[in-house]
Amino acid sequence: TYLFAPETLPPVSSTVEPNWTWYLESLNEKQKEAVRKAVASNGIFLLQGPPGTGKTQVIAETVAHLVKRGKKVLISSETHKAIDNVFERLPKIAEIVPVRLIPSSNDKKKDNEYDPGKLVDNFYSNIASTMSRFINIGTSRRTKKNSMRGTKL
């Protein structure tokens, strides 16, 4: 039984927005389609697949797009390791501020990278990563443009 009638849900569109930015370059077309559908869904989206198919990457990319749209995201799982995997793959952008209130391992001496006390450090680290990415994109575009100028058709 379901808590709702799935057949009453509206169809989910996976159309591409004109300025869609992919934060994880390793996504394949099926994963990108899953991200588009997850972002377009209204409240619930089921992502399933066998191990090794990139579900964690789809979750991380989806989180980035939802956060960029001003949404807040709660990541939960039955294992600490699954949450760690998502946190490790989250794009380093200023809008994503991962916080973990409970340490991920039984080793209490291990430092919690996403402890609330490290919010400011993580925020500045994400800003630095974003700026570095934009600088690299600009540099590669200029290099490509300069190499095109030297090419005669």
Side-chain angles (χ1 to χ4, degrees):
T1 64
Y2 297 102
L3 297 174
F4 59 92
E7 61 276 359
T8 64
L9 295 173
V12 176
S13 169
S14 66
T15 58
V16 180
E17 294 179 17
N19 294 325
W20 195 273
T21 300
W22 296 107
Y23 301 101
L24 303 175
E25 296 176 14
S26 59
L27 295 176
N28 63 37
E29 286 308 312
K30 284 287 191 189
Q31 291 169 325
K32 289 178 180 180
E33 179 183 359
V35 171
R36 286 190 291 266
K37 286 183 175 182
V39 170
S41 68
N42 188 13
I44 190 168
F45 182 80
L46 174 65
L47 176 65
Q48 63 181 10
T53 55
K55 295 178 297 296
T56 303
Q57 286 185 235
V58 169
I59 292 168
E61 184 76 26
T62 301
V63 168
H65 287 280
L66 291 173
V67 169
K68 283 293 237 183
R69 287 167 172 74
K71 306 281 184 176
K72 292 184 180 175
V73 179
L74 172 68
I75 298 172
S76 66
S77 177
E78 65 180 274
T79 67
H80 290 290
K81 185 64 179 163
I83 296 171
D84 291 342
N85 288 340
V86 172
F87 272 34
E88 288 169 10
R89 288 185 175 97
L90 287 173
K92 303 295 184 208
I93 58 176
E95 293 84 354
I96 295 180
V97 184
V99 176
R100 185 174 192 125
L101 300 177
I102 301 171
S104 66
S105 68
N106 292 332
D107 184 5
K108 303 295 182 195
K109 295 176 186 173
K110 186 178 177 188
D111 204 16
N112 178 8
E113 182 180 349
Y114 303 105
D115 185 85
K118 295 187 177 181
L119 273 175
V120 174
D121 291 341
N122 289 337
F123 177 69
Y124 284 119
S125 174
N126 286 352
I127 288 174
S129 293
T130 300
M131 297 309 294
S132 178
R133 198 175 95 223
F134 280 118
I135 289 169
N136 290 338
I137 289 171
T139 302
S140 67
R141 285 183 181 160
R142 278 193 303 276
T143 303
K144 186 184 261 184
K145 194 181 286 186
N146 289 338
S147 67
M148 297 278 286
R149 285 182 187 156
T151 306
K152 294 186 179 180
L153 299 176

